[in-house]
Amino acid sequence: MQVAVTRSHALREIWTLSFLRSLLSEYVGTTVFVFASLASTLLWPLPPDLSGGAPMDPHHPLLPVPAGSPDPVHVSLTFGISVALMLACLGTAGAVHLNPAVTLSLLAGVRMSLASALLYMIAQVLGAITASGFIRSVTPPEVRGDLGLNVISVWGSLENVSTVCTHTLFLTRQPCYLPVPDAATTTTTTMLHPWSDITQVTPGVSEFQAVCVEMMVTFQLILCVFATSDQKAGLSKMAPVIVGSSVTLGHLVAIGFTGCSMNPARSLGPAIIAANFESHWVFWVGPFTGALLATVTYDLLLVPRWNSIGDWLAGVRSALVGDGGLKLNGTSDEEDGRAT
């Protein structure tokens, strides 16, 4: 009977106009964030360089040169800036997380109830799917690429492709021209780009290594979230800039390993639209593990909020059954959890 009363009380607090606005903000914010971020990964062709500076397609010298890979700095900045803008614009409507890993950390830190956390995650996933589907529908197939899909083994293998050529593709977005013997043993020039039949060299990142990388970049993100939501630290006004910078840093570090997720919803959206779930579990386990480790580190070691682990477990138990003393917009009475 007590459990039923508690659940009924939690549902009454959730279905309020204020909380529904928070869910709408979460959906809208995640949609805009994922749309802008995935757009930065598109492989738009580069204009031909008629001055002789950049190489052109030898078969069609006056056509635009296909881009080899999105610029990692460009992608990193887009992710960070879009997060910062959504936090700044939508934060007044309630806590904006944009990321299931952040929501999980706030739940583990007893800053929100289980029911509200689940609804936040649903809004985030729906926003990511909406953005992924929309950007696929408005993008020409030739430049769509993998739609920003997070994968581990994104490169194929070719014994005679040099590492220098792969780096040229990744860092400069310029295609490579490789000598490939034909059937008559003569040498022809072949351009290496995403739509050719030539695959690229594998960096050899294992799933375990990918989980560790995702865990670390999410760990630093959650620490920044907690630091900026702590009113005593005086960083709340800088939250959009700090959290956005944390997202940018994570992408600069992890793009080469996994394409960088830090956000399971951001990974799930393109995976559903592309119907590709290869190694997808990595982008849930890694961020969620990092989020939980950061919560324990911050709340129990760096800035203790509990006298003992027993007190923390009691608080977690209250959150799981829907404690009416917790704000359902993702914050406690002393903290305003803003994140990505």
Side-chain angles (χ1 to χ4, degrees):
M1 178 65 70
Q2 180 63 34
V3 173
V5 171
T6 302
R7 289 179 178 176
S8 176
H9 179 68
L11 289 176
R12 284 198 304 271
E13 288 194 339
I14 287 176
W15 297 116
T16 62
L17 183 59
S18 175
F19 184 70
L20 293 177
R21 284 176 179 153
S22 294
L23 289 180
L24 179 61
S25 296
E26 198 70 23
Y27 172 78
V28 171
T30 305
T31 301
V32 174
F33 153 63
V34 174
F35 171 79
S37 301
L38 295 185
S40 70
T41 70
L42 298 179
L43 303 172
W44 292 104
L46 302 175
D49 186 355
L50 302 181
S51 66
M56 294 180 292
D57 187 332
H59 303 294
H60 305 283
L62 297 182
L63 293 180
V65 177
S69 175
D71 180 1
V73 176
H74 172 198
V75 174
S76 300
L77 288 175
T78 304
F79 271 82
I81 292 173
S82 61
V83 164
L85 290 178
M86 289 303 97
L87 295 185
C89 295
L90 300 178
T92 55
V96 181
H97 305 169
L98 313 180
N99 185 341
V102 171
T103 303
L104 178 64
S105 69
L106 295 175
L107 173 63
V110 198
R111 292 169 171 85
M112 65 191 311
S113 69
L114 176 61
S116 57
L118 291 176
L119 290 173
Y120 259 60
M121 290 184 184
I122 291 173
Q124 293 155 2
V125 168
L126 291 177
I129 294 173
T130 301
S132 301
F134 180 77
I135 199 168
R136 186 182 189 280
S137 67
V138 300
T139 304
E142 294 79 8
V143 301
R144 194 177 293 156
D146 59 8
L147 205 64
L149 184 69
N150 286 123
V151 290
I152 305 301
S153 299
V154 294
W155 311 102
S157 60
L158 186 65
E159 293 180 357
N160 63 336
V161 179
S162 69
T163 303
V164 173
C165 190
T166 301
H167 286 177
T168 300
L169 267 169
F170 185 71
L171 297 177
T172 68
R173 302 184 69 192
Q174 297 294 340
C176 287
Y177 296 89
L178 303 176
V180 178
D182 62 13
T185 68
T186 58
T187 300
T188 59
T189 301
T190 302
M191 180 171 62
L192 179 61
H193 62 75
W195 308 298
S196 69
D197 293 331
I198 300 178
T199 53
Q200 301 171 19
V201 178
T202 174
V205 177
S206 70
E207 290 182 335
F208 174 75
Q209 291 169 328
V211 167
C212 292
V213 171
E214 289 292 332
M215 178 186 70
M216 286 304 300
V217 293
T218 308
F219 180 88
Q220 61 86 23
L221 169 64
I222 301 303
L223 290 182
C224 291
V225 169
F226 285 159
T228 55
S229 64
D230 188 348
Q231 298 298 323
K232 296 179 181 179
L235 298 174
S236 58
K237 293 183 178 180
M238 294 290 293
V241 175
I242 293 174
V243 175
S245 299
S246 175
V247 173
T248 299
L249 174 63
H251 281 76
L252 289 172
V253 170
I255 278 181
F257 289 90
T258 64
C260 190
S261 172
M262 304 174 70
N263 186 330
R266 166 262 181 274
S267 298
L268 182 61
I272 289 178
I273 299 302
N276 184 346
F277 296 92
E278 182 179 357
S279 301
H280 182 70
W281 65 271
V282 168
F283 306 106
W284 288 83
V285 174
F288 275 6
T289 303
L292 293 175
L293 287 177
T295 302
V296 173
T297 301
Y298 192 88
D299 281 352
L300 294 178
L301 300 177
L302 298 179
V303 186
R305 298 176 63 226
W306 318 99
N307 295 325
S308 66
I309 294 181
D311 291 342
W312 172 62
L313 292 176
V316 171
R317 190 161 47 249
S318 297
L320 292 179
V321 299
D323 189 341
L326 292 173
K327 290 183 180 180
L328 294 177
N329 65 351
T331 63
S332 68
D333 290 333
E334 297 178 352
E335 296 178 271
D336 178 15
R338 296 182 178 179
T340 149

